[in-house]
Amino acid sequence: MKCTFVDVAPDSDFSIQNLPYGIFTTDSMPNRRVGVAIGDYVLCMSALAKTGLFAGIEGLDASQVFGSPQLNEFMSLNRPIWRSVRQSLQQFLSDETHTVRKQSNVDAVAVPMSSVHMHMPAKIGDYTDFYASREHATNVGVMFRGKENALMPNWTHLPVGYHGRASSVVVSGTPLRRPNGQRRPNPANPPEFGPSMRLDYELEMAFFVGPGNALGAPLTVDEAEDRIFGVVLMNDWSARDIQAWEYVPLGPFLGKSFGTTVSPWVVTMDALEPFRVMQPEQVPEPLPYLQCSNADARGGFDINLNVHIKPHESNEYFTLTQSNLKYMYWSLRQQLAHHTVNGCNMRPGDLCGTGTISGPTEESFGSMLELSWSGKNPIALGDEGISRTFIQDNDTVRLTGYCQGDGYRVGFGECMGTILPAIDLGM
């Protein structure tokens, strides 16, 4: 299938096979609205709704849903409706004789991506972060507990997670302050207060929940498959020294809640469907509620993931991580099914992070904690003598990701953030 409405380069993240959703404004259109990315343009979905493009889709009030300043209302519908909208868009973009094409030129329903401002795609009611990469969990365990006790006894039996802070999830491009907090660099001395000295990124992806479930009504793995609206890139910024001192016994708190960055474009599960792969073998076999029966047995996705850093001393980006979502041990649908198995109700727009996505080789490690092995091994950035063990003030970290098809890509755009100096609290 080829887009004939606008030109789309083969290496564009936003092919006609993708069509991710986001919320945008322009200087001349300050009200937030739903957009779909195609090549170097953003389709205005409310403008397309006025043409009648979606008139035949049962259960969809297109003017209402696509005139919303957030995606929550669209997320609350169901996969057949999402799929019908996607098919309508693909037909419109590919068929030069399409009825709506005769009355709608590019300027009427699309704006150049260079002129848009992107916003949070949804109002996030709740945010959960999982710990689903075996390689990452093993690396961290070896670092702090030794090889013999790298994985905790529960890790291979359930997707470990914790409840994060939705209020500090921000869209790509939003700068974040280095957090202040308690840290204990010398175990022999009392804790100190001040800016984190071991600030890190975590390469993650995250999914937005669609229709959700009622309180007390768990989702099966098969049901969970159709309750995921789509996926974004996520940087789970982590203050390692604050986290190390505070996390026992209840888990991360201030070491995480100062900020989490997500990419603005939500890639749907239908766009990812051609890139399914088998996830890593799970031993021991998961309990029955974490197994699928009718759904496609391939629970993983082949998504290339990269992290680059632009140190404050340079205008150049340097590669830190090259990983892939296919390495993740616990699948997205297993994470959602586990989240609801106790009867917890999920709502449209809830966000679930995968946890750091590390692979089997050093270049695929998804954090500086792993790459520098807890600060012991400086990471060389180019040939100018610049190195890092953790993130410094005014450094910028950029996450990218894409699936490679035959002559096209399904990409996620960028997930970018700059760390500003901590506020001086005078303590």
Side-chain angles (χ1 to χ4, degrees):
M1 185 182 299
K2 182 179 180 181
C3 179
T4 62
F5 189 61
V6 296
D7 291 332
V8 180
D11 61 350
S12 169
D13 276 351
F14 307 126
S15 62
I16 193 173
Q17 291 84 2
N18 189 352
L19 304 179
Y21 292 89
I23 299 295
F24 77 100
T25 59
T26 68
D27 291 341
S28 61
M29 297 188 298
N31 295 327
R32 299 186 183 192
R33 62 198 67 204
V34 178
V36 167
I38 179 69
D40 294 327
Y41 287 85
V42 177
L43 297 172
C44 179
M45 293 295 281
S46 59
L48 281 171
K50 291 175 183 176
T51 69
L53 180 62
F54 311 113
I57 300 176
E58 186 176 351
L60 174 67
D61 183 342
S63 295
Q64 169 68 28
V65 168
F66 295 135
S68 174
Q70 294 141 350
L71 283 169
N72 296 65
E73 192 167 352
F74 188 47
M75 291 174 171
S76 72
L77 301 177
N78 56 52
R79 194 160 184 178
I81 293 177
W82 304 334
R83 185 169 289 157
S84 295
V85 171
R86 173 180 170 82
Q87 291 169 347
S88 296
L89 286 171
Q90 288 180 325
Q91 291 166 4
F92 167 77
L93 292 168
S94 62
D95 183 0
E96 293 178 344
T97 66
H98 195 288
T99 305
V100 176
R101 285 278 285 271
K102 296 176 181 178
Q103 56 181 314
S104 303
N105 60 23
V106 174
D107 292 339
V109 296
V111 294
M113 193 168 289
S114 59
S115 69
V116 306
H117 309 287
M118 299 304 298
H119 304 275
M120 281 295 297
K123 182 177 180 180
I124 302 171
D126 280 296
Y127 157 52
T128 299
D129 196 24
F130 286 93
Y131 192 49
S133 162
R134 183 170 190 149
E135 286 81 4
H136 174 67
T138 299
N139 288 339
V140 174
V142 169
M143 233 178 277
F144 296 108
R145 291 187 299 272
K147 190 173 182 179
E148 307 306 320
N149 300 298
L151 289 179
M152 299 299 285
N154 63 349
W155 198 93
T156 56
H157 294 273
L158 55 85
V160 174
Y162 72 94
H163 191 195
R165 184 71 187 174
S167 65
S168 55
V169 180
V170 299
V171 74
S172 175
T174 306
L176 290 170
R177 289 276 178 189
R178 181 177 296 271
N180 287 297
Q182 288 192 31
R183 42 190 171 77
R184 195 181 188 188
N186 187 339
N189 295 331
E192 305 170 354
F193 180 86
S196 170
M197 305 305 293
R198 291 164 62 90
L199 189 58
D200 200 357
Y201 71 88
E202 287 191 344
L203 168 61
E204 300 196 22
M205 303 198 79
F207 63 85
F208 279 101
V209 175
N213 60 297
L215 182 65
L219 296 172
T220 66
V221 170
D222 300 298
E223 291 170 334
E225 186 86 20
D226 289 331
R227 304 299 178 97
I228 297 174
F229 175 75
V231 182
V232 293
L233 301 168
M234 189 175 93
N235 184 349
D236 180 28
W237 303 94
S238 301
R240 300 297 185 188
D241 42 1
I242 296 174
Q243 181 183 353
W245 172 236
E246 73 178 0
Y247 85 99
V248 177
L250 293 181
F253 185 30
L254 302 184
K256 299 278 193 177
S257 62
F258 64 93
T260 303
T261 303
V262 296
S263 53
W265 293 108
V266 187
V267 177
T268 66
M269 301 311 292
D270 279 333
L272 296 177
E273 192 69 26
F275 305 99
R276 281 182 177 274
V277 293
M278 295 298 294
Q279 66 198 85
E281 183 183 7
Q282 296 184 324
V283 180
E285 183 177 79
L287 291 174
Y289 80 91
L290 288 171
Q291 298 179 26
C292 67
S293 55
N294 298 321
D296 192 319
R298 298 170 298 164
F301 294 92
D302 183 4
I303 304 176
N304 300 294
L305 299 169
N306 299 283
V307 182
H308 298 86
I309 188 169
K310 182 166 73 68
H312 63 81
E313 308 98 315
S314 174
N315 292 319
E316 184 179 350
Y317 279 93
F318 300 93
T319 301
L320 289 173
T321 300
Q322 294 175 297
S323 190
N324 195 298
L325 186 67
K326 68 184 179 182
Y327 299 134
M328 193 170 64
Y329 187 89
W330 293 107
S331 68
L332 304 181
R333 62 193 183 190
Q334 285 178 315
Q335 292 170 37
L336 182 54
H338 180 67
H339 204 318
T340 69
V341 74
N342 67 340
C344 174
N345 56 318
M346 306 295 287
R347 297 172 294 187
D350 282 355
L351 185 72
C352 293
T354 60
T356 306
I357 303 165
S358 293
T361 59
E362 186 173 340
E363 61 267 22
S364 64
F365 291 173
S367 67
M368 296 181 91
L369 178 70
E370 295 165 271
L371 290 168
S372 71
W373 209 251
S374 193
K376 294 177 183 177
N377 306 317
I379 306 160
L381 304 175
D383 302 322
E384 302 297 321
I386 303 173
S387 66
R388 290 288 185 273
T389 51
F390 292 98
I391 299 168
Q392 295 186 10
D393 289 346
N394 299 308
D395 286 352
T396 299
V397 177
R398 179 182 68 193
L399 279 60
T400 57
Y402 66 92
C403 308
Q404 185 61 58
D406 183 8
Y408 70 92
R409 282 185 174 183
V410 170
F412 292 80
E414 295 181 336
C415 178
M416 184 181 297
T418 300
I419 295 297
L420 303 179
I423 295 175
D424 185 358
L425 299 178
M427 298 182 185

